[in-house]
Amino acid sequence: MLKWVMAAAMLVAVPVAASAQDVEAGKGVFKKCAACHQIGADAKNGLGPSLQCVAGSKAGHHAEGFAYSDALKNAGFNWDDEHLLKWMEKDDALVKGNKMIFPAGVKNEEDRTNLLAYIKSECKQ
C-alpha cells in the first residue's frame, strides 16, 4: 500500500517540478539573444545593451552609454518580470518604435520563464 501512495505522490509532483524555472535551460535560450546582448560580470554593450542586472532597472536607461530609442527611453516603466516576459515574447507589442530587431521573439512561455530565471541568476551585485 505504501508503494502505491508513494508512486501516486511522485506522479502528482512531476508536473510541478517540470514547471519550475530552469536556469540552465534559460542559459540555452539566451543563445538566441547572445548575437546582440551580453550578460555576466564583464558584459559590455554591443548591437544591443548589456543585460547584466537589467531586472528592476528603468526601461531605456539601464546600460550606461547605450543609445536607446526614444520610444524605450520614454516607455515609463521598470523592467519587472511582467514587462521582461512581454518584451521577450514580442518587443514591438510592448514598446512601439523601439529599435530592437528580433521579430521572432521567444514564443514558448516556458522558454521565456527560463530565460528570465537565467538573466536574473547572472546578477550578482
Side-chain angles (χ1 to χ4, degrees):
M1 176 72 168
L2 181 60
K3 288 180 185 178
W4 289 106
V5 171
M6 292 299 290
M10 289 171 63
L11 285 175
V12 170
V14 168
V16 173
S19 67
Q21 294 178 347
D22 185 339
V23 171
E24 282 303 310
K27 185 175 183 178
V29 176
F30 187 78
K31 290 176 182 176
K32 295 177 181 180
C33 312
C36 299
H37 298 282
Q38 291 185 20
I39 196 164
D42 298 324
K44 306 225 179 329
N45 296 329
L47 186 56
S50 161
L51 297 180
Q52 185 63 20
C53 298
V54 69
S57 67
K58 186 174 180 182
H61 299 274
H62 168 68
E64 189 175 323
F66 187 77
Y68 290 99
S69 65
D70 287 339
L72 198 54
K73 286 191 280 189
N74 297 317
F77 62 82
N78 286 350
W79 288 118
D80 58 16
D81 290 1
E82 178 185 358
H83 285 99
L84 284 166
L85 290 167
K86 285 180 181 178
W87 180 267
M88 291 172 194
E89 183 177 13
K90 191 166 174 78
D91 59 276
D92 59 345
L94 181 62
V95 179
K96 299 245 185 272
N98 81 77
K99 63 182 186 179
M100 186 164 121
I101 306 168
F102 190 55
V106 180
K107 299 300 180 210
N108 182 284
E109 183 177 1
E110 186 175 352
D111 284 350
R112 290 191 305 271
T113 303
N114 292 338
L115 177 57
L116 179 60
Y118 171 67
I119 289 170
K120 291 170 80 173
S121 77
E122 286 295 302
C123 183
K124 297 168 179 74
Q125 293 187 18

